[in-house]
Amino acid sequence: MRKEHQKEIERVKSEHDSESKNVIMLLQRQNVSLESKTEKIQAHLKTMEAHMKDLMATIEIKNKTIAERDENRQRSDAEFQKQLHEASERIAQLTQEKEHLRHKVIRLNLNARGEGENSVENMLKRLTRDTTYLQSEFNELATKYENILTDNQDLNRKLRDKDKSIEFLEIEIRRRALEYAEMVLYLTIDTDI
């Protein structure tokens, strides 16, 4: 009975060793498979990291473009305000000069005649001359103002076009980030399976 018991123990031991070897071989095959999947996932992660770096570079460029656009807009607005202020000052100066010249002409006329006699006709001639000069100055300033206004409208239109481009880039970045997140989620689910 002892021999039988010994044989039974050896048989169980042999079966156990055989099963252990089978389990070890199965675990080794699964390990190799998991290592292969891990390498694929790591390669994919490196690709996605490179893609994210590209997206971040695009975002950085976009931010620089926005900063430059804002700076250009501020410079343009400041220049426009400066030119508008100069035009207003010039108009005020011309108006003062007109009044000064009018009074000067009246005084010179009175001094030359010694009588102070100014006919309506003479006054109208002087006023017409001064008004014509002031009108030409005013027209020149108005033309400059119109040119500045046109330039400002062109700059605003260009800024709107750039805003649309930036909006498109932001939408594209969100779409790509969503694709990246879905891909990572899919890979995570695939790995879990």
Side-chain angles (χ1 to χ4, degrees):
M1 179 142 177
R2 202 170 182 207
K3 282 185 179 183
E4 235 176 74
H5 185 64
Q6 185 97 16
K7 283 182 182 181
E8 184 66 25
I9 289 175
E10 285 181 22
R11 185 185 62 79
V12 169
K13 189 176 179 184
S14 173
E15 284 178 5
H16 182 266
D17 288 344
S18 175
E19 282 181 25
S20 295
K21 286 179 184 178
N22 288 338
V23 168
I24 289 172
M25 285 181 8
L26 178 64
L27 288 173
Q28 286 174 343
R29 280 195 301 266
Q30 287 178 346
N31 190 28
V32 168
S33 174
L34 287 174
E35 286 176 0
S36 172
K37 285 183 182 179
T38 302
E39 288 173 4
K40 286 179 185 176
I41 290 172
Q42 285 175 345
H44 186 68
L45 281 175
K46 285 180 183 176
T47 303
M48 294 310 290
E49 285 174 0
H51 185 64
M52 280 301 286
K53 284 179 184 176
D54 291 344
L55 288 175
M56 293 306 288
T58 303
I59 290 170
E60 189 174 327
I61 290 169
K62 179 199 68 133
N63 287 340
K64 285 181 182 177
T65 303
I66 290 171
E68 289 172 3
R69 180 199 67 201
D70 289 344
E71 187 178 318
N72 288 338
R73 182 183 292 167
Q74 288 174 355
R75 270 198 302 261
S76 172
D77 288 347
E79 183 64 27
F80 178 72
Q81 289 298 327
K82 178 184 172 189
Q83 290 174 350
L84 192 61
H85 181 69
E86 288 173 356
S88 298
E89 284 182 349
R90 183 74 175 133
I91 289 170
Q93 182 184 6
L94 288 173
T95 303
Q96 279 184 335
E97 285 180 16
K98 172 187 163 191
E99 288 298 317
H100 177 70
L101 289 173
R102 179 176 168 271
H103 292 300
K104 188 174 181 179
V105 166
I106 292 171
R107 275 194 313 271
L108 287 173
N109 192 17
L110 287 173
N111 288 339
R113 288 189 172 189
E115 306 171 354
E117 184 179 324
N118 283 323
S119 67
V120 173
E121 186 180 1
N122 288 338
M123 291 296 288
L124 284 175
K125 286 180 184 176
R126 285 192 301 271
L127 285 175
T128 303
R129 258 193 330 265
D130 290 344
T131 304
T132 303
Y133 171 74
L134 289 173
Q135 183 65 40
S136 69
E137 285 287 322
F138 182 79
N139 288 341
E140 182 182 336
L141 285 173
T143 303
K144 287 180 182 177
Y145 177 78
E146 288 296 324
N147 290 341
I148 290 168
L149 194 59
T150 303
D151 290 344
N152 189 34
Q153 288 171 347
D154 289 342
L155 286 173
N156 282 332
R157 183 184 46 77
K158 288 177 184 176
L159 284 175
R160 282 192 301 274
D161 292 343
K162 285 184 181 179
D163 284 342
K164 287 179 184 177
S165 297
I166 289 168
E167 185 177 328
F168 171 76
L169 285 174
E170 288 174 342
I171 290 170
E172 185 64 20
I173 287 170
R174 283 195 297 270
R175 185 185 65 76
R176 289 188 180 183
L178 184 60
E179 286 178 1
Y180 173 74
E182 288 174 353
M183 197 176 326
V184 168
L185 180 64
Y186 173 76
L187 287 174
T188 304
I189 291 170
D190 190 33
T191 305
D192 289 343
I193 293 173

